[in-house]
Amino acid sequence: MTPPLDELLALARQAAAAGAAVHAAWRGKVLAVTAKASPTDVVTEVDREAERAVVDVIRAARPDDGILAEEGTTAAGRSDVRWVIDPLDGTTNYVYGWPAYAVSIGVEIGGRALVGVVQDTALDREFAGVVGAGATLNGVPIKVRAPPDLATALVATGFQATAAHRARQGQVLAGVLPHVRDVRRGGSAAIDLASVGAGLVDAFFELGLAPWDVAGGSAIAEAAGARIASIDVPNARGPLVVAAAPRIMDGLLDLLRAAGAMGPLPPLG
């Protein structure tokens, strides 16, 4: 039996707090940084230790649930609940001390992310949401902004680690920038998605995201009234994810299509 969503939210908040405590404990220490898919795609012991802390909280309370986490923790589970975890979204920011990194937890029911928590540990902000029941920032209700048109929209984005794909994404950005108010690039997709829900930006798009990058923030954004789209792009490592205020979503999708965001990328080789 699937538990009430508010119970899952409470557990997600507890688990995110455990991961955030790891971030805080390691802050300022010398880290062993290693590369993953490319020299710009890095991982540290903080990622791994935070993942253990988050997973331990979840497994202690719900041992039958599935788990998918960025640093390798996976479990098929025996329920219809799956926890999708990024223990440190924005690792490069963390390494540099740039204040945009978070624990991201999304809870999927039957394959759909319905509960999300993004604990922005750098700025001590907790975004949380349940689809159909609303979202909060530090306990205060939030909702998407409603810009009158795309030209007045503040849009967030991010880039893949692979150099050839980043070059292509730069071309797409050049096609988008003249048609919106401005663009922000924070380095944490989870925070950017949650920020759409909080009205801190009006929209977000990024190509090549993994499930753990998206699940928590997209649930929060949707809970706060945003529209979410996930579009497959040939040769990309993951879909093009778009979140926006409903009023500007169709226009943003048209703009991204015209800018080439949905066309095939160069093969990875």
Side-chain angles (χ1 to χ4, degrees), residues 8-51:
L8 294 174
L9 176 63
L11 182 58
R13 295 177 67 187
Q14 181 184 349
V22 175
H23 297 182
W26 279 87
R27 193 176 294 137
K29 295 183 179 180
V30 176
L31 301 174
V33 180
T34 55
K36 295 199 289 187
S38 78
T40 58
D41 186 11
V42 298
V43 64
T44 71
E45 56 263 66
V46 182
D47 299 72
R48 300 184 185 99
E49 186 174 324
E51 182 164 305

Side-chain angles (χ1 to χ4, degrees), residues 35-264:
K36 295 199 289 187
S38 78
T40 58
D41 186 11
V42 298
V43 64
T44 71
E45 56 263 66
V46 182
D47 299 72
R48 300 184 185 99
E49 186 174 324
E51 182 164 305
R52 285 193 294 270
V54 170
V55 170
D56 284 350
V57 170
I58 294 167
R59 281 183 167 160
R62 296 192 55 81
D64 292 334
D65 290 352
I67 292 176
L68 175 65
E70 181 176 14
E71 304 312 327
T73 305
T74 60
R78 295 182 295 274
S79 73
D80 64 348
V81 178
R82 184 172 77 157
W83 300 75
V84 185
I85 302 160
D86 192 333
L88 178 51
D89 188 56
T91 299
T92 299
N93 288 344
Y94 185 87
V95 169
Y96 277 81
W98 185 261
Y101 48 86
V103 181
S104 176
I105 301 175
V107 188
E108 296 178 347
I109 313 294
R112 184 184 176 205
L114 295 179
V115 176
V117 172
V118 172
Q119 181 67 52
D120 178 350
T121 52
L123 299 182
D124 194 24
R125 301 185 297 179
E126 182 203 67
F127 300 87
V130 174
V131 174
T136 60
L137 171 54
N138 289 342
V140 178
I142 55 175
K143 63 180 180 179
V144 297
R145 285 167 45 90
D149 51 37
L150 195 56
T152 58
L154 184 63
V155 180
T157 192
F159 302 101
Q160 286 191 358
T162 307
H165 291 186
R166 289 162 68 91
R168 171 63 178 277
Q169 288 174 283
Q171 295 172 357
V172 170
L173 183 59
V176 170
L177 189 55
H179 303 283
V180 299
R181 168 166 278 162
D182 207 345
V183 171
R184 297 290 181 265
R185 192 272 196 266
S188 166
I191 293 175
D192 288 345
L193 281 162
S195 294
V196 174
L200 302 174
V201 294
D202 299 306
F204 165 80
F205 71 93
E206 185 169 345
L207 177 67
L209 294 174
W212 44 77
D213 298 315
V214 177
S218 64
I220 294 164
E222 185 176 353
R227 284 178 56 190
I228 311 293
S230 180
I231 302 159
D232 290 334
V233 174
N235 299 329
R237 294 172 58 192
L240 171 67
V241 174
V242 185
R247 181 179 293 177
I248 63 170
M249 183 61 151
D250 291 339
L252 179 58
L253 290 173
D254 289 343
L255 177 60
L256 289 169
R257 188 176 293 107
M262 300 174 195

